[in-house]
Amino acid sequence: MRGAEKTEYFHICTDGRLLAWMFQDDKDFTAGINRIAICHIKTMAIVVCFVLMDNHVHFILYGEEQECILFRDKFIHRYGIWFSNAYPGRRCEMLDFDIKLIDGERYLLNSITYVLRNGIAAGYAYSADDYLW
């Protein structure tokens, strides 16, 4: 149940220039998607769209600001635990997420388009529907 705080859209992302990689193969990407589902259940922030790239992620979330911040924090935490278990002995780099309030319909539509076109822009797919992650 929602409190008195206003529900809004937020763009949450990492800077791909700061990490060598986050996900190396289908197993890693699948683990990332599973973390998204768990974070949604734990926070009730609605995941409007997302993209997982090899070295960064984007989420468009809808919810109260604190729910969306909690989603981000839980994703960071759960990703770190997964990484430590999947790659013992390798150092997990700190994920630095940016969170931006999306204030307006045009900004929302541009943000969703940007997120969904990430795989195309990186050359992984010819259309957003063709990119699995």
Side-chain angles (χ1 to χ4, degrees):
M1 174 167 273
R2 303 230 183 245
E5 194 175 337
K6 184 176 175 185
T7 54
E8 299 177 286
Y9 292 94
F10 294 90
H11 182 186
I12 299 176
C13 61
T14 57
D15 185 343
R17 299 170 295 180
L18 300 179
L19 296 175
W21 59 273
M22 286 182 70
F23 310 103
Q24 293 190 90
D25 56 27
D26 287 356
K27 173 185 61 73
D28 289 359
F29 281 101
T30 300
I33 288 176
N34 289 339
R35 292 325 137 305
I36 294 169
I38 292 167
C39 292
H40 159 68
I41 291 167
K42 296 289 186 178
T43 66
M44 296 311 294
I46 296 169
V47 181
V48 176
C49 68
F50 69 90
V51 67
L52 304 180
M53 301 297 288
D54 56 351
N55 64 344
H56 70 286
V57 299
H58 289 272
F59 304 110
I60 303 294
L61 301 178
Y62 179 73
E64 296 174 359
E65 183 175 13
Q66 288 307 308
E67 290 173 334
C68 295
I69 290 169
L70 185 59
F71 179 98
R72 176 202 61 195
D73 294 347
K74 286 193 174 294
F75 186 84
I76 291 168
H77 178 75
R78 290 178 182 279
Y79 174 85
I81 291 171
W82 164 80
F83 186 94
S84 296
N85 289 326
Y87 297 99
R90 294 204 60 179
R91 185 177 159 274
C92 181
E93 296 182 48
M94 183 62 177
L95 296 180
D96 184 23
F97 276 82
D98 191 16
I99 182 166
K100 296 177 185 169
L101 172 66
I102 298 174
D103 58 352
E105 185 176 346
R106 185 172 192 81
Y107 185 14
L108 174 63
L109 295 175
N110 287 339
S111 297
I112 291 171
T113 301
Y114 177 81
V115 168
L116 295 179
R117 289 186 43 78
N118 238 251
I120 300 165
Y124 294 125
Y126 293 105
S127 76
D129 289 343
D130 294 333
Y131 186 68
L132 288 176
W133 316 111

